Amino acid sequence: MTNNMFFIANWKMFGDLRAINSTKKVIKFSKNKKFARAQIVYCPPYTLIEQFNKITKNSKIKVGAQDCHFLESHGPFTGSVNANLLKIIGAKYVIVGHSENRARGDTNYLINLKIKSALNKNLKVIFCIGETLKEKKKNKTNLIINTQISRGLKNIKKNKNVIFAYEPVWSIGTGIIPKISDLEKQVSLIKKMINKIWKYKNPQILYGGSVNSKNVRQLKKIRSINGYLIGGASQNANNFIDIIKKTII
Ligand code: PEP
């Protein structure tokens, strides 16, 4: 395995200055040449982005946000942060379409606007797709994912700044991961779906959902996966480092 691997930490609505301090271990670790293939991205809450940028300044770790507003221009949207504001604060990545935000009202249409505005601001987009348990049980996985991809990418030309994250919703925060053979098939199908729209054979696809230091050796058998979007396990520096070590070595 020689390609770069992404390790995207989604801190969700967690994190304080003490937690930031503990990531100094990860920063030190990231400078070890043995793990140069690891592309680490921290996506903390908005409130910690600036602090994260400061402490990661002399490392190759990048910082991103967990969402953005769909409008590019500024406006009277109390509590919202758009891609332009993220750019100003120094974010390089943004997660869009996370199932926790889809559940709170993000439609495929809004997600499409968010992706467009983030790309216009030169942010790299981590575009989350994935089916719920109910959809899976009804055998609707492929239909749902195909719709999420085609609507999410509507009127967007092939763009290498979009990284896809397949996150089956039933796997997020549950400790359950898909069967390795099923996941491998699903990733290959997703690649075909993207190729159909963008004529792009090798899009970067991450897996997300309960990745931890115990299951990552299994997951890494799937060579077509370009890394992981990691929630819970990324909040502990030792666990996060362990996942990276076990993937790369
Ligand atoms: C996530 O929030 O994107 C995620 C994958 O969470 P967890 O790793 O905790 O399942």
Side-chain angles (χ1 to χ4, degrees):
M1 224 199 289
T2 51
N3 293 339
N4 284 345
M5 287 290 278
F6 279 100
F7 298 89
I8 316 250
N10 175 14
W11 272 21
K12 311 191 188 218
M13 202 166 69
F14 292 97
D16 52 23
L17 293 181
R18 223 178 89 218
I20 290 200
N21 230 16
S22 76
T23 60
K24 286 186 180 153
K25 250 189 187 173
V26 182
I27 297 168
K28 191 165 169 224
F29 166 80
S30 73
K31 294 179 180 168
N32 184 334
K33 293 218 163 61
K34 251 167 63 188
F35 301 101
R37 291 204 294 118
Q39 302 255 298
I40 303 170
V41 181
Y42 269 102
C43 297
Y46 296 130
T47 49
L48 299 181
I49 290 177
E50 197 170 10
Q51 195 72 22
F52 254 100
N53 262 333
K54 275 188 198 144
I55 64 162
T56 55
K57 204 168 72 193
N58 296 318
S59 75
K60 63 185 194 77
I61 294 181
K62 299 280 185 281
V63 184
Q66 297 169 19
D67 195 14
C68 65
H69 192 269
F70 60 89
L71 281 185
E72 231 172 278
S73 55
H74 302 298
F77 298 99
T78 305
S80 301
V81 176
N82 67 1
N84 198 30
L85 294 175
L86 291 178
K87 188 79 191 170
I88 291 168
I89 205 172
K92 298 282 185 288
Y93 287 76
V94 60
I95 297 173
V96 175
H98 194 284
S99 58
E100 285 156 13
N101 292 336
R102 288 182 188 264
R104 288 189 301 137
D106 259 12
T107 58
N108 289 317
Y109 173 69
L110 289 182
I111 289 164
N112 174 252
L113 295 180
K114 289 182 181 196
I115 297 176
K116 283 178 182 159
S117 71
L119 292 176
N120 283 343
K121 291 293 159 202
N122 286 322
L123 295 175
K124 290 193 199 305
V125 173
I126 300 145
F127 174 23
C128 299
I129 49 177
E131 79 288 1
T132 63
L133 187 59
K134 201 165 157 198
E135 289 158 350
K136 178 181 159 63
K137 282 186 176 162
K138 286 187 179 164
N139 284 323
K140 285 192 170 168
T141 299
N142 289 334
L143 176 70
I144 293 295
I145 294 177
N146 204 15
T147 308
Q148 289 173 341
I149 294 175
S150 56
R151 299 216 175 132
L153 296 181
K154 197 170 172 192
N155 298 326
I156 299 174
K157 290 202 181 103
K158 174 184 158 185
N159 194 319
K160 290 187 176 167
N161 282 341
V162 179
I163 298 158
F164 298 82
Y166 173 52
E167 297 208 304
V169 183
W170 46 273
S171 205
I172 296 179
T174 58
I176 302 164
I177 61 165
K179 259 173 55 188
I180 296 300
S181 54
D182 289 349
L183 182 54
E184 191 159 25
K185 277 186 211 141
Q186 198 58 59
V187 169
S188 135
L189 262 172
I190 291 170
K191 285 202 172 176
K192 281 190 187 135
M193 291 173 191
I194 298 164
N195 190 28
K196 209 167 158 200
I197 297 171
W198 271 359
K199 307 276 170 283
Y200 181 18
K201 284 212 170 76
N202 281 310
Q204 296 195 290
I205 303 194
L206 317 181
Y207 166 74
S210 295
V211 176
N212 61 38
S213 55
K214 291 198 184 86
N215 58 28
V216 78
R217 281 202 205 280
Q218 283 291 102
L219 288 167
K220 80 175 219 190
K221 288 183 186 158
I222 309 175
R223 299 295 176 101
S224 50
I225 286 178
N226 304 98
Y228 308 107
L229 177 51
I230 307 162
S234 71
Q235 287 159 29
N236 176 295
N238 292 331
N239 287 345
F240 195 40
I241 290 173
D242 221 19
I243 292 172
I244 301 171
K245 275 187 180 165
K246 285 181 177 159
T247 307
I248 302 285
I249 290 178

